[in-house]
Amino acid sequence: MYGWRARIGAIVPSTNTAVESEFNTMKPEGVSIHASRMVSLENSVEILFNLAKDTERASYELGTTMCNTIVYACTSGSFVGGPKWEQELVERMEKASGTKAITTSGAVVRALKQLGVKKSV
């Protein structure tokens, strides 16, 4: 059975053709990757905010796969509105899917804190 160890959901901009391939290359045995897309034909701050309007729909869809966590795999879209925006995005994903969620920028911030990084050089 696919995903017998874990299922990871990824919310991805439609023009991003790398996330699923990269996740599938890096995943351990028994982990399956499932994606939902947000239509994106251009890139601007306004478009990044508009992409997030698909968050609940995409999260709900991924929640039906019984995934263990959902990743908002749009780096710039996860930090475009700052830390409060990122936290609200996570809360919206979790509420719509019924599972844990994280964003790309949130994962980076957590990793830097875990490593004790205080400021960049």
Side-chain angles (χ1 to χ4, degrees), residues 1-12 19-37 58-74 93 97 99-104 107:
M1 178 173 88
Y2 292 109
W4 56 268
R5 180 178 284 163
R7 295 181 183 136
I8 298 173
I11 300 175
V12 187
V19 167
E20 290 133 312
S21 294
E22 290 177 351
F23 277 25
N24 277 302
T25 298
M26 294 183 284
K27 69 178 177 66
E29 181 182 349
V31 174
S32 59
I33 308 300
H34 309 274
S36 183
R37 296 195 170 274
S59 298
Y60 176 77
E61 288 175 359
L62 290 169
T64 66
T65 69
M66 305 300 287
C67 55
N68 302 89
T69 192
I70 296 175
V71 179
Y72 192 85
C74 177
M93 291 165 58
S97 68
T99 193
K100 297 180 286 186
I102 193 165
T103 69
T104 312

Side-chain angles (χ1 to χ4, degrees), residues 36-54:
S36 183
R37 296 195 170 274
M38 306 173 290
V39 176
S40 169
L41 302 176
E42 299 176 37
N43 217 357
S44 71
V45 170
E46 181 181 348
I47 287 171
L48 291 171
F49 280 114
N50 283 332
L51 276 179
K53 292 178 182 176
D54 280 339

